[in-house]
Amino acid sequence: MIHRNPKSSWSYKATSSGRNKKAPESKSATGIVGVAKAAQVVSQCSFRPLSRKVAELPQGATSHHYKGTAGTNTHNISPRGRRDRLPEPLQYNPSFPHSPNKIMMKNSHRSLRRLSPLGILAAVLGSLLLSPHQLPAQSAAKTGAAAELLPETCVAFVVVEDLSAIADLVINHPLRQELQQIPAFEQLMRSNQMTQFRAGLALFEAGMGARWPKVLRQLTSGGVFAAIDGETDAFAILIRAETPEALQQFRDTVFSAVRGGKLPGSEADPIKTGEYRGITAYGIGEDLKLAPLGSWLLVTNKSDLGKKIVDLYVDAQSGDLDPSLFHSLADSSAFRQAMRSRPESNQVWGYFDIQAIRDSGAGAELYSGRTDNPLAEILFGGIVANLKETPLACFGLSLNQNAVHLTARTPHQQAWIEADRSYYFGADGRAAAPPLLQANKRLFAMSAYRDMSEMWLRSADLMTENAVEKLAQADTQLTTFFSGKDFGEDILAALGPAVQLVAVEQDFTAMLPKPAIHLPAFALRLEMKTPQQTAPEFRRVFQSFIGFLNVVGAMNGQPQFDLSEERSEEFAMVSARYVAEKGEEAAEDAPINFNFSPSLVFGKRHMILSSTQALGRELALQVASSASPQTNAVSSSAIPAADPADTSAQADAPNTIANLDASVLQTVLNDNREQLIAQNMLEKGHAREAAEGEIGLLLAIIGFFEQAQLRLDAAEDFLELKLQLNVRD
């Protein structure tokens, strides 16, 4: 019977009736005890339980009965999981035959000793992560089997459902050949580190008697699972192999390499051995414990968590585990809810027990419901509000040849969102973003629903004291610019909640003077509730601000702005351009200032603040034309243009959406290639050839992708954040 008393330290008392029996030794059975000291304790322990009457259970304690070879064992347990005496081990004897090819393993072990531990580890991990073969999808039953071995106190759980399929996709992707032809990649593959990796991998394969794809299938056929335990502050990784024999051969190969010729059990042996409940454990260094449990391989960094897992495993093997009295992760309400609400069709998925993490006090700032600056509040304020109340967060990762999909989902209720954050989700919690703006050579676009006036006025309840103090200073300065009008109540209140941002690649072909560094142009589009009153006010402030910049620029030797106006039936624009110094009118290495010609454009109901005249004009004409398509989709399919002020135009429209075009990003970076190379040489101390190779590889990798989209959806019962990364055909 196992009792858990939260107020006491871990202690075990074993009592038994009947004749004591010792379980047969098993060379392959393993568990976590804690290196050399544990081995000494085990060697001195007779495993004879004390005949003692079980004391009355303390109030609130739980109990658990199981039967071993010596009858019924009773243990008192406190939260840390230490046992004062090791109980009699249960009958458990998985067989681990020796490797079938001893001569090959012996020779390969000699060669492995010549490699550094880092090379050995890299080879082993590489063999586990780079398989070109595909396995069947991991079933929910296998996930449940892993959860039954983990304690219910785990606050994070991750499942890799099909490791071989992921590796197959990466290794055999059509773009792999293009990657191998890149000079910088070829140079990387010839580096000393990669040479050592390949040598280690080859010798590891020799030790295992098979190529690494087959080894991977054998070692991970049942799935790979990882967890973090909140009680012991430790992690555990569980890998389920096809057979215990596969784990035995893996252990022999790796251990022989790590020992490097040192005799097992000697003082110089870097691998320490201990025993717990008849299970043998291996310690490598201070923070790595290994324990094969039948066809499972347990890896953890703390013995306390290892003992918990061994307890669950051994007790389950006995067949007398009482799930109503002793709980695993599979019994956790958070785990069951995560299984129901997790994103579907993912090769990798997991969840975090947000409630448990919040209650522990970890990450208090993240779950406080407050942000530390206005930009963070605008972007993530609604998510922060959700994390303050939601019980858990699930995530899923799926891959195919065309795209990578990452989804994070949390339970969500409108009641959790206080009035302070109605600016983010709207009064009914379902406010939608306007369509993304379209523009020639668009690099980036973002649209969102945000009532900026409400956010500004409620900032004292939304942000930290330091952020509120800085915001108050900004409010004072802005009030001065707007002739004493309150920035939150008068200025921002005159604008609608539809926010649209766009950035594009600039065309410098006909531009003179031409800046040496080519920056993208960007623009912000907002709706005006009362254009007749709002437009004149913003025009005056814009002109005053340009004058202020001229005064400051003159004091610092910067070029001056020249104001101009442009009017048409569709829009009115006031803009400013830098004036080149005499003799520099045709320069092609002008200062970075010449990337900008700030402009303010007014349409019938909208206002556009642009970094350049060209972009401001293009957007104004686009908005005025009803034929211009706008879309929130990653693909090129378009939807009819909608009124950005109507935030409920699409029932399935997201609250926030952002798109990044990888091909345009590659072009923008390539235009500034020389500057990037020089920066690389200065910051990393590389020679020019190495810097060119590194920047070239970066640009080539970016070229493999088409675009990325990030969107936030607020449904009735969940909040979902999706990232989609499209790969080039």
Side-chain angles (χ1 to χ4, degrees):
M1 185 175 296
I2 296 180
H3 313 299
R4 176 171 292 183
N5 184 354
K7 297 182 179 180
S8 61
S9 60
W10 284 102
S11 62
Y12 285 67
K13 297 181 180 179
T15 62
S16 175
S17 59
R19 187 175 180 180
N20 296 314
K21 298 179 181 180
K22 184 176 180 180
E25 288 188 8
S26 172
K27 296 181 180 180
S28 59
T30 59
I32 303 298
V33 179
V35 295
K37 182 178 180 181
Q40 182 180 5
V41 172
V42 173
S43 65
Q44 296 175 353
C45 183
S46 65
F47 297 100
R48 183 178 298 276
L50 300 176
S51 297
R52 183 174 299 175
K53 190 173 182 179
V54 180
E56 184 178 354
L57 291 175
Q59 184 177 3
T62 59
S63 61
H64 162 62
H65 289 272
Y66 68 86
K67 293 181 180 179
T69 58
T72 301
N73 292 277
T74 303
H75 308 287
N76 293 331
I77 307 179
S78 67
R80 292 271 179 199
R82 296 191 304 268
R83 298 194 175 194
D84 294 336
R85 297 181 178 85
L86 295 175
E88 181 176 359
L90 301 179
Q91 292 283 0
Y92 174 66
N93 187 24
S95 59
F96 278 71
H98 295 293
S99 171
N101 197 335
K102 297 180 180 179
I103 297 177
M104 179 179 64
M105 289 182 64
K106 181 177 180 181
N107 293 334
S108 65
H109 292 165
R110 291 175 180 172
S111 300
L112 280 169
R113 294 179 194 128
R114 302 190 189 106
L115 296 175
S116 68
L118 180 60
I120 296 169
L121 181 61
V124 172
L125 292 179
S127 69
L128 293 178
L129 295 175
L130 301 176
S131 172
H133 296 274
Q134 185 168 353
L135 295 176
Q138 185 71 32
S139 67
K142 291 182 178 180
T143 300
E148 289 175 354
L149 290 180
L150 295 165
E152 63 176 340
T153 51
C154 287
V155 297
F157 181 62
V158 180
V159 179
V160 182
E161 295 189 344
D162 198 342
L163 183 59
S164 290
I166 296 174
D168 176 60
L169 180 66
V170 174
I171 295 299
N172 296 322
H173 196 279
L175 292 176
R176 179 186 176 186
Q177 294 183 353
E178 291 188 32
L179 179 64
Q180 292 175 331
Q181 295 173 1
I182 299 173
F185 184 79
E186 292 180 355
Q187 184 178 0
L188 175 64
M189 297 304 293
R190 293 194 301 267
S191 65
N192 292 334
Q193 293 86 348
M194 290 305 301
T195 300
Q196 187 179 45
F197 171 82
R198 287 193 295 270
L201 180 59
L203 294 174
F204 173 74
E205 290 176 334
M208 293 297 296
R211 297 297 301 271
W212 60 266
K214 182 179 180 180
V215 174
L216 177 66
R217 292 198 305 274
Q218 292 175 340
L219 293 179
T220 66
S221 63
V224 179
F225 311 87
I228 297 176
D229 182 44
E231 190 172 77
T232 59
D233 193 23
F235 74 85
I237 299 174
L238 289 168
I239 304 172
R240 195 167 197 178
E242 287 182 354
T243 63
E245 290 81 3
L247 289 182
Q248 173 72 17
Q249 190 171 1
F250 174 77
R251 188 200 68 181
D252 290 345
T253 301
V254 175
F255 282 13
S256 177
V258 172
R259 285 189 169 112
K262 299 180 178 64
L263 294 176
S266 65
E267 292 185 1
D269 187 1
I271 301 173
K272 305 303 179 182
T273 305
E275 188 173 325
Y276 176 69
R277 299 191 69 182
I279 304 295
T280 304
Y282 305 92
I284 303 177
E286 296 295 329
D287 298 319
L288 184 61
K289 326 288 181 182
L290 305 176
L293 306 173
S295 60
W296 292 93
L297 174 64
L298 166 63
V299 181
T300 185
N301 63 329
K302 290 188 179 180
S303 296
D304 287 345
L305 177 56
K307 289 180 181 180
K308 285 185 175 185
I309 296 173
V310 170
D311 285 339
L312 286 165
Y313 174 77
V314 174
D315 292 346
Q317 291 292 311
S318 72
D320 292 323
L321 181 66
D322 188 345
S324 65
L325 300 175
F326 193 77
H327 300 293
S328 67
L329 182 63
D331 303 313
S332 165
S333 60
F335 174 79
R336 293 195 297 268
Q337 185 176 359
M339 289 289 287
R340 292 192 301 267
S341 59
R342 63 178 173 144
E344 298 179 355
S345 303
N346 291 282
Q347 289 100 326
V348 180
W349 75 274
Y351 81 95
F352 294 91
D353 190 338
I354 301 298
Q355 181 67 53
I357 297 173
R358 234 179 6 241
D359 293 343
S360 71
E365 294 182 358
L366 179 61
Y367 306 112
S368 66
R370 292 176 178 267
T371 53
D372 57 2
N373 65 75
L375 181 60
E377 178 61 37
I378 293 171
L379 295 176
F380 309 114
I383 299 175
V384 170
N386 174 270
L387 291 176
K388 186 180 178 182
E389 302 292 342
T390 191
L392 59 88
C394 302
F395 66 89
L397 174 68
S398 64
L399 308 157
N400 56 53
Q401 282 195 353
N402 300 317
V404 178
H405 303 266
L406 178 62
T407 303
R409 180 185 296 172
T410 67
H412 183 69
Q413 296 179 20
Q414 176 61 17
W416 294 348
I417 306 302
E418 301 175 353
D420 296 339
R421 290 253 168 54
S422 61
Y423 84 90
Y424 199 99
F425 295 108
D428 62 352
R430 302 294 300 278
L436 292 171
L437 290 173
Q438 300 298 306
N440 185 37
K441 297 182 179 180
R442 191 182 74 179
L443 168 64
F444 175 78
M446 176 180 173
S447 293
Y449 175 94
R450 298 292 187 274
D451 189 333
M452 304 302 294
S453 176
E454 284 294 313
M455 188 278 290
W456 192 274
L457 295 175
R458 296 179 182 274
S459 59
D461 298 320
L462 303 176
M463 289 178 272
T464 60
E465 292 183 5
N466 185 44
V468 172
E469 182 179 347
K470 293 181 180 179
L471 208 62
Q473 296 175 359
D475 185 80
T476 301
Q477 296 172 355
L478 290 169
T479 299
T480 302
F481 266 107
F482 284 93
S483 303
K485 292 185 177 181
D486 187 88
F487 187 68
E489 293 182 355
D490 300 323
I491 304 303
L492 292 180
L495 303 175
V499 179
Q500 296 168 291
L501 179 68
V502 67
V504 302
E505 175 194 354
Q506 285 201 69
D507 184 2
F508 294 92
T509 304
M511 181 184 295
L512 289 175
K514 186 180 301 183
I517 299 177
H518 297 174
L519 299 181
F522 52 89
L524 175 66
R525 183 182 185 277
L526 301 168
E527 293 300 309
M528 298 182 290
K529 296 178 181 178
T530 55
Q532 294 77 10
Q533 291 79 31
T534 304
E537 186 70 28
F538 274 94
R539 180 184 294 108
R540 183 190 60 79
V541 171
F542 178 81
Q543 292 172 335
S544 298
F545 184 67
I546 294 298
F548 172 76
L549 292 180
N550 275 339
V551 173
V552 175
M555 296 172 60
N556 293 280
Q558 298 294 322
Q560 297 290 286
F561 278 117
D562 184 24
L563 279 169
S564 64
E565 289 192 15
E566 181 179 342
R567 291 183 179 274
S568 69
E569 294 181 359
E570 293 84 6
F571 65 89
M573 178 170 64
V574 55
S575 59
R577 295 186 67 90
Y578 278 107
V579 179
E581 297 289 339
K582 188 175 181 179
E584 300 292 332
E585 293 85 354
E588 295 192 357
D589 58 350
I592 195 172
N593 310 55
F594 286 87
N595 280 278
F596 305 100
S597 54
S599 304
L600 186 61
V601 185
F602 298 100
K604 292 181 179 180
R605 297 192 60 86
H606 65 270
M607 175 179 70
I608 300 172
L609 180 61
S610 175
S611 69
T612 67
Q613 286 180 337
L615 180 57
R617 185 182 299 110
E618 178 185 354
L619 294 177
L621 293 173
Q622 178 203 102
V623 173
S625 174
S626 59
S628 296
Q630 301 184 62
T631 178
N632 275 348
V634 173
S635 66
S636 58
S637 59
I639 61 175
D643 181 2
D646 180 9
T647 57
S648 60
Q650 293 175 270
D652 59 345
N655 171 272
T656 306
I657 184 169
N659 266 26
L660 176 69
D661 191 299
S663 62
V664 179
L665 175 62
Q666 184 188 42
T667 302
V668 170
L669 293 177
N670 193 54
D671 285 345
N672 297 282
R673 188 187 189 99
E674 285 301 318
Q675 286 75 18
L676 294 174
I677 291 173
Q679 184 179 7
N680 183 283
M681 294 172 64
L682 289 173
E683 293 182 353
K684 298 185 177 181
H686 287 166
R688 181 175 179 83
E689 182 180 359
E692 288 178 342
E694 192 168 303
I695 298 302
L697 180 60
L698 172 64
L699 294 175
I701 292 176
I702 293 175
F704 290 159
F705 300 95
E706 286 185 349
Q707 54 187 334
Q709 183 186 85
L710 181 69
R711 60 180 286 162
L712 175 67
D713 292 274
E716 184 176 354
D717 57 352
F718 66 85
L719 196 65
E720 187 173 75
L721 187 66
K722 290 183 178 180
L723 173 64
Q724 178 175 328
L725 185 63
N726 285 13
V727 180
R728 177 169 57 81
D729 293 335

